[in-house]
Amino acid sequence: MNKQYDYLIVGAGLYGAVFARELTKAGKTCLVIDKRDHIAGNIYTHEMEGIQVHQYGAHIFHTNNKEVWDYLNQFAVFNRYTNSPIANYKGEIYNMPFNMNTFNKMWGVITPAEAAAKIEEQRKANYTENPRNLEEQAINLVGVDIYEKLIKGYTEKQWGRPCTELPAFIIKRLPVRLTYDNNYFNALYQGIPVGGYTAMVAKMLEGVEVRLGQDYLADKASWDALADKVVYTGPIDAYFAYKLGVLEYRSVRFETEVLNETNYQGNAVVNYTDAKTPYTRVIEHKHFEFGTQEKTVISREYSAEWKLGDEPYYPVNDEKNSALYAKYKELAAGEENVIFGGRLGEYQYYDMDKVVEVALNRVCAELA
Ligand SMILES: Cc1cc2nc3c(=O)[nH]c(=O)nc-3n(C[C@H](O)[C@H](O)[C@H](O)COP(=O)(O)OP(=O)(O)OC[C@H]3O[C@@H](n4cnc5c(N)ncnc54)[C@H](O)[C@@H]3O)c2cc1C
């Protein structure tokens, strides 16, 4: 019996939107549902005081993949935003990532040779054979000054534990840049869609039926009856009613505030690298779009423990969770008419460009 739609797409995030766009283009009928009351998933932006606010954390698009870049440029014009965060350590301001501007401020060095010699001197002064924890590892890589001012407090807030109790492997490399270049990403293409990410996703979903505030898992059988195939971008363990156990996430919490001033911190992203300030970062959203509005909107970002029911942010890809995911993946392979995809469906941290890439590859395979 023919069902009403060829595809039911669960999740109106970037993965679901790529699928919806490409399937529709190929003449398939699609219904997109999302349990939230908005499209765009975690890249959702909404307007406050004329400013696009990134509700689920700051999102900066960057990629080396020209195909992905050209693909998204069909749906949005990207501005020239370049991510150059700064660190505030007890009122001292440093450029990130670690580069000649950072070293000049920290030690007064001017040439790359002077900076390299200083870093080497710092590393040697406190070098530990076989580092046993993150502190020893970081000091081995960049020395005490950078560790104390720019790594220690921030990392301890992120993980909720002292660096001496964190494993060394968390930090494998700490790239230092011996040029005066504050551009955080080494990407060929970078920017923010003018008018926000939600407008971009809306354009991708043009001509596609979308129903919001609908939880697929609350009435799975009825939804399944509507379409021949399902593209599921929700959490894979939730799909199977957590029957093998719960996959863990690291979480973040945001406190967003409108301020009666035009410019609070002069930069979109400021990291607070001391241990005392309770938040890790402050995002000032208007600077993503070079805004000149009278007011400003900031979000303070806190690291948070995650428990089932909270918003899942970063998958914890340790041994335990990876083994559990592998088991769910086996179960998923047995679901003949369901495609599991995206950051939650594949329990994988994906940058936006990667999500577009994997979704395009998967939908091409589907249509082949
Ligand atoms: C804090 C943070 C910052 C980030 N910053 C960047 C960045 O700067 N640059 C970058 O490239 N990437 C960034 N990312 C990654 C980016 O957010 C992801 O690549 C992208 O959101 C993944 O899209 P998705 O469609 O896979 O998932 P999502 O956007 O999560 O979409 C899944 C959708 O499925 C819906 N859903 C789930 N279950 C159900 C159900 N049962 N019924 C109906 N709907 C359901 C959800 O409501 C959600 O809308 C960041 C991620 C985080 C966590």
Side-chain angles (χ1 to χ4, degrees):
M1 200 181 70
N2 271 352
K3 294 192 180 174
Q4 197 178 338
Y5 300 93
D6 296 318
Y7 290 87
L8 170 74
I9 298 171
V10 180
L14 199 48
Y15 192 97
V18 170
F19 251 83
R21 176 80 267 123
E22 293 311 297
L23 290 172
T24 305
K25 202 169 93 185
K28 308 288 181 192
T29 51
C30 299
L31 170 63
V32 176
I33 61 168
D34 203 296
K35 67 179 181 185
R36 291 170 171 167
D37 63 0
H38 60 74
I39 60 164
N42 268 23
I43 66 173
Y44 175 64
T45 48
H46 63 101
E47 200 177 301
M48 286 172 84
E49 305 296 340
I51 297 161
Q52 288 296 321
V53 172
H54 300 209
Q55 174 148 327
Y56 301 93
H59 278 75
I60 298 131
F61 187 83
H62 57 99
T63 190
N64 282 314
N65 185 327
K66 185 166 189 313
E67 196 192 332
V68 167
W69 178 247
D70 289 344
Y71 183 77
L72 287 181
N73 273 270
Q74 298 175 85
F75 310 109
V77 172
F78 282 77
N79 70 16
R80 62 162 185 83
Y81 180 81
T82 302
N83 194 29
S84 358
I86 56 175
N88 182 330
Y89 177 75
K90 301 182 181 175
E92 293 172 28
I93 297 296
Y94 293 97
N95 288 103
M96 307 279 281
F98 311 141
N99 71 74
M100 286 302 299
N101 291 305
T102 327
F103 308 139
N104 174 264
K105 181 80 186 274
M106 183 121 11
W107 301 309
V109 293
I110 290 168
T111 66
E114 284 168 7
K118 187 76 190 170
I119 294 168
E120 205 41 36
E121 175 195 310
Q122 287 254 320
R123 293 178 61 217
K124 281 201 182 126
N126 286 285
Y127 196 83
T128 313
E129 279 305 325
N130 305 319
R132 287 156 303 177
N133 56 48
L134 192 147
E135 176 165 298
E136 291 175 356
Q137 169 81 339
I139 292 172
N140 276 1
L141 291 168
V142 288
V144 168
D145 288 354
I146 294 178
Y147 168 69
E148 287 287 343
K149 293 190 169 181
L150 300 178
I151 298 171
K152 186 173 188 288
Y154 193 85
T155 310
E156 292 184 345
K157 285 190 279 190
Q158 258 189 327
W159 293 90
R161 274 194 281 160
C163 287
T164 46
E165 288 175 23
L166 287 166
F169 73 79
I170 294 181
I171 295 187
K172 291 203 174 71
R173 295 179 328 118
L174 283 170
V176 293
R177 212 179 259 174
L178 295 177
T179 51
Y180 286 93
D181 177 8
N182 296 327
N183 180 353
Y184 191 81
F185 296 117
N186 283 315
L188 265 180
Y189 311 102
Q190 185 172 178
I192 305 279
V194 175
Y197 288 95
T198 307
M200 178 181 85
V201 175
K203 191 103 190 184
M204 296 172 83
L205 292 172
E206 245 171 35
V208 181
E209 187 180 344
V210 179
R211 296 189 208 165
L212 297 174
Q214 306 294 330
D215 185 347
Y216 169 69
L217 297 176
D219 194 5
K220 185 171 176 302
S222 305
W223 291 114
D224 286 343
L226 290 180
D228 292 326
K229 274 194 134 179
V230 173
V231 178
Y232 177 81
T233 73
I236 189 167
D237 52 352
Y239 181 94
F240 294 105
Y242 308 101
K243 67 179 174 191
L244 303 176
V246 174
L247 289 166
E248 292 168 320
Y249 287 84
R250 264 196 317 119
S251 202
V252 273
R253 182 169 63 80
F254 305 101
E255 261 175 27
T256 296
E257 199 183 335
V258 177
L259 301 178
N260 242 335
E261 55 187 297
T262 50
N263 190 357
Y264 173 69
Q265 61 185 17
N267 206 38
V269 183
V270 178
N271 293 2
Y272 284 80
T273 55
D274 65 301
K276 213 164 158 213
T277 306
Y279 36 86
T280 49
R281 309 199 293 178
V282 176
I283 305 301
E284 188 170 10
H285 300 268
K286 74 191 313 179
H287 296 309
F288 287 127
E289 295 201 57
F290 315 105
T292 53
Q293 297 85 352
E294 278 185 9
K295 295 189 181 179
T296 194
V297 182
I298 61 161
S299 297
R300 296 185 189 85
E301 200 171 307
Y302 298 80
S303 273
E305 286 290 319
W306 180 85
K307 59 182 182 331
L308 191 59
D310 293 346
E311 203 57 67
Y313 280 102
Y314 299 101
V316 181
N317 293 113
D318 61 6
E319 244 173 67
K320 180 180 126 201
N321 285 287
S322 301
L324 183 56
Y325 170 64
K327 287 189 194 152
Y328 276 121
K329 199 174 165 198
E330 263 175 46
L331 285 185
E335 296 286 292
E336 243 177 47
N337 293 319
V338 185
I339 295 167
F340 290 82
R343 65 180 196 101
L344 302 167
E346 297 174 56
Y347 191 61
Q348 167 96 42
Y349 178 83
Y350 280 134
D351 272 330
M352 291 179 274
D353 62 329
K354 197 67 194 167
V355 158
V356 172
E357 185 188 320
V358 293
L360 280 174
N361 288 341
R362 188 66 187 80
V363 74
C364 275
E366 179 66 13
L367 289 167

